[in-house]
Each structure stands twice: as structure tokens, then as C-alpha cells.
Amino acid sequence: MKYHEMNTKEVEEALNTDLSSGLTSADVKQRLKQYGNNELEEGERQSAWLVFFSQFKDFMVLVLLAATLISGFLGEYIDAIAIIAIVIVNAFLGFFQEVKAEKSLQALKELSAPQVQVLRNGQWIKIASKEIVPGDVLKFSSGDRIGADLRLIDVKSLEIEESALTGESLPVSKNTSALSKENLGIGDMENMAFMGTMVTRGTGMGVVVGTGMKTAMGQIADLLQSAESMTTPLQRRLEQLGKILIVTALLLTALVVVVGVLQGNDLYTMFLAGVSLAVAAIPEGLPAIVTVALSLGVQRMIKQNAIVRKLPAVETLGCASVICSDKTGTMTQNEMTVTHLWSSGQTWFVDGVGYEPSGAFYRDDERIDVTNEKALQQMLMFGMLCNHAELIEKKKEYAVDGDPTEGALLVAAMKAGYNRSELLNEFKIVQEFPFDSTRKMMSVIIKDPNGRQYVVTKGAPDILVGKSEAILWNGKKQLLSQNAKQTVQSAINELASKALRTIAIGFKEIPAQTLVLDEKEAEKSLTFIGLQGMIDPPRPEVKLAVKECKDAGIKTVMITGDHVITAKAIAKQLGILSNQSKVLDGPALSEMSLEELEDVVEEVSVFARVSPEHKLKIVKALQNKGHIVAMTGDGVNDAPAIKAADIGVSMGITGTDVAKEASALVLLDDNFATIKSAIKEGRNIYENIRKFIRYLLASNVGEILVMLFAMLLALPLPLVPIQILWVNLVTDGLPAMALGLDQPEGDVMKRKPRNPKEGVFARGLGWKIISRGFLIGLVTLLAFMFAYKDNPNHLEYAQTVAFATLVLAQLIHVFDCRSERSILSRNPFGNKYLVWAVILSLLMVLVVIYYPPLQPIFHTVPIQVSDWWIITGLAAIPTFLLAGSFLLRKTK
């Protein structure tokens, strides 16, 4: 027999506990050993060593390690040491970033870990939820998060919001009766409370029947851990680039060896030259610089309230073509606010923001005095009396303890000057009939100062109209005729069309001292007073964020459990729903096959009345249509969809631990606008990665060509291997990292999302690399030939001139890499980090050339001042020659 099928006594016996005094300290100690801590397992967490060594799995890193091995075998120990140093630096950067992201997430989890009140040794004490064991007796009240799976043993007006598990946002009314039905779903177990759910109303006590992975949440977490994560576009692109480079290196090595041997050189010398070229073909600093760029992006995103759990996910954001976002709390403020009130055919408006109890009342744009509006006063007063919510103020910020709908009614009455404590001194609550999801109503019986008794009811308008026989019209009680019902229905429809959730208020007078035995007796023959229309208002910044995403070619799709009318109205306010867009609700979605959904999914902008199970179907349909999908969620049931999405986004405030574990991005403020900021950052990071790939590879092409051309022309090698390595690791490294800090170009959020299948060299990048690289190689060779021709007996001088020309050409070229178009289309000094990096790189080259102790190591000699004019002139040609051609095209 399962716990929900047992009565209280049977549960007590099954768990070997005492419900009146709780477990003893000895019981707790023994059960902690038996069951372990009450925590969700996170799968096997890698040790620090494994995390560190996993950084060496990258294809580019493996290529560099192979180059290190070859260099070591050939006696080029300086080359080998330099490469291995870069590889280790790269590994440490990746390691520290992963650890830092996990620590940020762990801190977030610690904040959400609840404290619970538990009965032990006959006393109520407060402990951390991880210390709960089966058999513990817990008590809880409105606002508490349930710490484990419980069989309820005592409840008072208890309602629990279980959307984390069921996706159903409405709170569930709870009781303690044993349930005889088999195969009940979680949402139907009314005598159970589940780990991670939230008490929205009332109080209760329960005995713990499951902890940790033995809870309903733990079972879903266990399923989630076996899910596979997808590789990101950046990982695939870098792997592709690595393969291209290794093939290029092998071909160059073979070519140089063959050409050199045919020219009469010995095999060993040519093989060494070929390996030098192969090392030149591989941008040794690339993995480290990519990691640094991603890490810096992550730090910027933390400042914008987003924690990135996996580095490559930053870049994936730049590919996003669809954002599927929750409405409540993400696009809206998650603060229900009464904005419209209707009674006797009149509509009043009330202003104010969120739960702050200040605002004015208007009718037909004219401010009114509430004390002159008797029907309005009565409706507001009754809404406050038939209510359990409390307003909490902390540092001038307001929050509601209790149901958000009741909070909205409470605040509306406070705006009219009512005070709940004063009202309760004046009116005594004699009896209460709590809200339940079947009746969709709540009632209280109150006694006024004159001893008269009234039933006051609030609830769903259509239900309350059906329970009413009269209507209050201009202060007088009239029969609720068919015409009057139609008038009320029109008012309900009018408020619903404005995305308002409506609550109806009714009452009736009953004889003094009467004790009503049940709610059926209380909630009949009511007098209908009016309607209060409330809304969870859109966040003010979301409309602009949606527009910016639209300009960026990113479609925003709203997903909500709300009614279609409400969802459509909010979506229109935010600019999500256009006249051409479609709205699809949960029932229709359930009837569709995946293939049928694929046929229409690109036309749908709003999914209403959906359950979390539908989210996975929506993600798959969009992905099958070729979209890169960002999916938001906060519940355990959202986790599979978050995991399946290209970019899973979880909520830092309302999100469950399981949802956070499944996600790539955690929003600390649960705000849609933060997703937009993250996408902008992701796009910029990818563009910056393209910039330094362009810079590094153009430099490498120049190095390769100058060496290759010299061999084909039977000239001495213009550069020695240590000079090539110095350029690749030191001279190129700092400017490349500075490119990773470049600010986005002005139109970064006005471009369409890039195709995830786009190669690294797309959009003309390959041509830019080859053309600039060819010119850099050519001017370097010309500088070498000029210096060698003047003094053929002084090879080191010519090599130093070539070395200086190569470095200077690359340092000028780096400014050209800041723009997709030309060096002249952006302020070359707009990136101060780049300016300082170039100055520092130039100084280091001058030190290598002019500092005597370093000259033997780098095979350099001092260059005459007059030769610097020629070096500078030649070095400027690759950048400004092509910039001139850009200007000519633009002029035409």
C-alpha cells in the first residue's frame, strides 16, 4: 500500500515514528546513515583533476601536443617548451572558468535551500532541509517551500502551488483523507506535499515519506542525468578549423621536404624546415585566446544578471533564431495588480505599480473620491475581508505573503484607504469556507458592529453569477435578470480582452447568530456586487527587448499556462503577436503529431494553456525546421525541454535546482531582457573570435608564404623557427586577446542570426585571410631580399629586417580586423586595450632586436634607423592597399 492510500495511523506505523513527539536524536542519526542527506544528486561530479585534464581533449590542443612532440624529437626544445606552456595556460584558463561557473551556481543553490521546522525529541526546532530524514514531522505555513515528500496529517486552509512538478500554476487545495484510487498523478494526490513546491496559503503538518532522490523531484532529476548534451556550433567550428590546419601543416611539410631535397639540400635539414613551417601553420595561441574571450564574455554577463554554466554556450546564443519564453515573471512582473473595477454598469480605473499601496481612482479619465462611490467602497472592503494575503514592506520594496490574486485585492483596497487590521477590529470573521479548485470560490461570514451577519464571497465570475439571484445596481438590490446577466458577461469579456484576470465579489445578509453548516448553504442566493480586473503587468523593458530581437532576426514566442485571451492581449502589448501570427492552445497542441506541428510552428507566436510536457514538443518542432532555439523554464518538468534546447535558460529566482542543472544559462533576475543582452553578448563574442582568427591566420599565412617563396626562389630562410614562434605566441597573442575585448559594431543586433552550419571562413573571411596573408608574406620577403641584396654576407641582418617587417605588418593589420569592411570604417583607436597591446608588442620586438643578451637567442642584430622607413612603408601596404580598394568600391 502506498502512503497516500494509508490513514494517519497506518503511516505512523509504516514509518516507525511518533507523530506527537517526532523522532529522537538516535533515530535521526541512524536514518541519516541509512538514507543519506536530503539532497538531489547531481550525477557524478568530476574531480578537480578530471576537470583539468578534460581541457586537453580539444582537437586543436591535441594538434599542438603533436607539434610539441615532433619539436622535442628534432631537438627544438625551445619550440617544444613554448608550445607546452601555451597548452598549459589554456588548460588552466578553461579549468578555472568551469570551476567559477559551478561555484556561482552552487551559491545560487545555497540561497534557495530552505530551512524547515521539524519536531524532534518533542520540541519544534529549525534545521536545514538536507538534514530531514523519513519519519520526521514537519510543520509549515504560507510562503514556505516544502523540504521533502510528505504525507499530510493536519491542514488548515492549506493550498500548495505545485507548478515545479505539474506545470499547473493554480494552487492545489490539500486535505488529510486517505485516497483509495490507484495510479493517481501527482496533481491528484491531495493528501501529499512534495519537495520543492510552495505553500501559498494556510498551514499544515506532514510526516516525511521520501527524501533526496526518493522524492518525486528526485525521480525526474535521475531521468535528466542520463540526457545527452549537444555540442555547440563553436565547438564544431573549431574542430573543423583544427582539421583544416593539420591537413595544411602536413601538406606544407611534405611540399617543403620534396622541394628542398630536389634542390640538393639534405633530408634532415629539409624535414626540420618543414616542421618549422608546420608549426607556423598552427596558431598556437588560438585555444587560449578563444577561452579568454569566452571567459571575459561570461564575466560581463554575470554583471548583467546571467550566469553561464558552460563556456561555449555564450557563443551559441549568437546563433539563436527563436526564443521561447515563459510569460509570468519573465515577460511580466509577477505582481498581480488591480487596474479596473466594474459595478452597476460603471468602470473605474486605478493606477499604481506592483504591490506598492499607493494609487488614485479614475472614471472617464477624471480622478474621483472613493468615499463618494458606495458600490466601489463595498467591493474593495469585501475583497480585503475575504482574504488571507499580507503585504510585507522591506526597504521600501513591497511583496505579498500569500496568493498573488488575493494580494492584488488587498493592495487595491489599501489604495482606497482601507486598513486590514482596522477592518478586522470593526468586522469579526465568524466562519470561513476556504477556496478550492472545484468550487472556485472562497467565502467568509462576518459580523458588523451592529451584530448583523453577512456572507462575503469572492470567486470566478461565471460561477458567482450562477450562485447569485440579485445584483447591486446604483446602491439598490435588484433581481439578476437575463438582461443583467448579459450585461455582467459583457463586462467580463471586456475586461478579459484587456488581458485582465477577473474576480467577482458577492454577498448576502443572514440572520444574526446563524451558524452555516456548509459552503453550499452559504454560497447560494447571493447578491452580485461587481468585478475586479487585475493583470500581471509586462515588464517595461521587455517591449524594447522584443523589438531589438525582431530587428536582429530573432523570433520571440510566448509560452504560458494562461488563457488564450490573456496571452493574446499581453503578447500584443509586447509586440510579439502580429495580425499574421497564430495562437495555439494546449488542447490543440495535444492532438497534433510532431509532423503536424512542424507544418505550422513557424507561424505561431503564442502557445497558451500549455503544460511543461508541450514545451519539449515545441522545441523539437522548431529544431526540425532548422532553428536554434533558446527555451526558458523554471520547473522540474521544464528540465527535459531546457536540456533539449540549443540554449536552455533557467530562472535564478523561481527556478528549481533541477532546471538550473539542465540549463546553459541562469537568469539571476528572471527577466526576458537579460536573454536579449546575453544574445547580444554572444553575437559580439563570436564576431570577436572571428576577428582574432582572421588576425592570427592571416599572420600565419604570411609566415608560411614568406618561407615557401624563399625556398622556391632558392633563397636562405628569411626567418628562423624561434622568430616565428615569438611572433605566434608573444607578438600576436596580446593584440589577439585585445580583439576579444572589442565592443560590438553598431549593427550587431540588426543582422540576421547566422546559420549554425556556417563555416569559420564564411562571409568572405577566407578571402580576407588569404589576401592579407599573401601581402604580408610578400612585403616581408621584399624586405628580406632588399636587406640581403645589400649585404649577402650578413644573413642575420636581413632576417632581422624580415622579422621586424612581419611584426609591424601584423600590428598594423590588427586594426583592420576590427571591422568586417575596412580599417577606415571604424575609429582605429576605439579599443584602448588593443592600442596598448600593440604598443607593448612593439616594445617587446624592439627589446628582442636591440637588447644584447636576447640577440643570440633570437638570431637578431640591431637595425639601422634609415631601414625603419622602408620597413614601415612596406608593412603598411597590406592594410592600406586593400582599404583603398574598399574606398574606391564605396565611391562607385
Side-chain angles (χ1 to χ4, degrees), residues 403-421:
D403 183 80
T405 299
E406 291 193 335
L409 299 177
L410 177 75
V411 171
M414 292 175 75
K415 289 176 180 178
Y418 287 104
N419 181 288
R420 184 174 169 80
S421 299

Side-chain angles (χ1 to χ4, degrees), residues 415-429:
K415 289 176 180 178
Y418 287 104
N419 181 288
R420 184 174 169 80
S421 299
E422 292 175 3
L423 274 182
L424 291 175
N425 286 333
E426 187 177 350
F427 295 90
K428 182 182 177 183
I429 295 178

Side-chain angles (χ1 to χ4, degrees), residues 292-312:
V292 168
L294 292 174
S295 300
L296 292 169
V298 166
Q299 300 311 313
R300 287 195 293 268
M301 290 169 84
I302 287 173
K303 292 176 183 175
Q304 296 176 18
N305 291 317
I307 288 180
V308 177
R309 298 189 63 245
K310 295 292 178 184
L311 277 181

